């Protein structure tokens, strides 16, 4: 802002508009993201891999056979 060739009133207006945009538009988006990730966290478990799903072992074995020579 210091390098802009505008008046102090214009600088203050820009700062106020930026603050307003952050509070009205960016903050709600982040709050929504935080809520969604928090909800997902309650559904997560520590089992990793395809085998945690129904028929996961069969899926894994099929994928392994299709993508390797083993």
């Amino acid at each position: 802002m210091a390098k802009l060739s505008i008046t102090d009133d214009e600088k203050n207006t820009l700062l106020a508009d930026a603050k307003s945009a952050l509070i009205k538009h960016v903050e709600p988006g982040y709050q929504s993201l935080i809520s969604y990730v928090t909800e997902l966290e309650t559904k997560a478990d520590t089992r990793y891999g395809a085998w945690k799903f129904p028929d996961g072992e069969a899926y894994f074995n099929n994928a392994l056979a299709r993508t390797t020579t083993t």
Side-chain angles (χ1 to χ4, degrees), residues 4-56:
L4 294 176
S5 299
I6 58 176
T7 67
D8 286 342
D9 285 342
E10 291 170 317
K11 289 178 184 179
N12 290 335
T13 299
L14 283 175
L15 286 172
D17 289 348
K19 182 178 180 179
S20 176
L22 287 170
I23 291 170
K24 290 181 182 177
H25 302 288
V26 177
E27 183 180 17
Y30 273 101
Q31 291 300 332
S32 178
L33 177 62
I34 290 167
S35 294
Y36 180 68
V37 170
T38 300
E39 179 186 340
L40 285 180
E41 186 178 30
T42 65
K43 298 176 183 179
D45 60 31
T46 58
R47 298 175 300 146
Y48 303 108
W51 43 87
K52 79 179 209 176
F53 299 107
D55 298 322

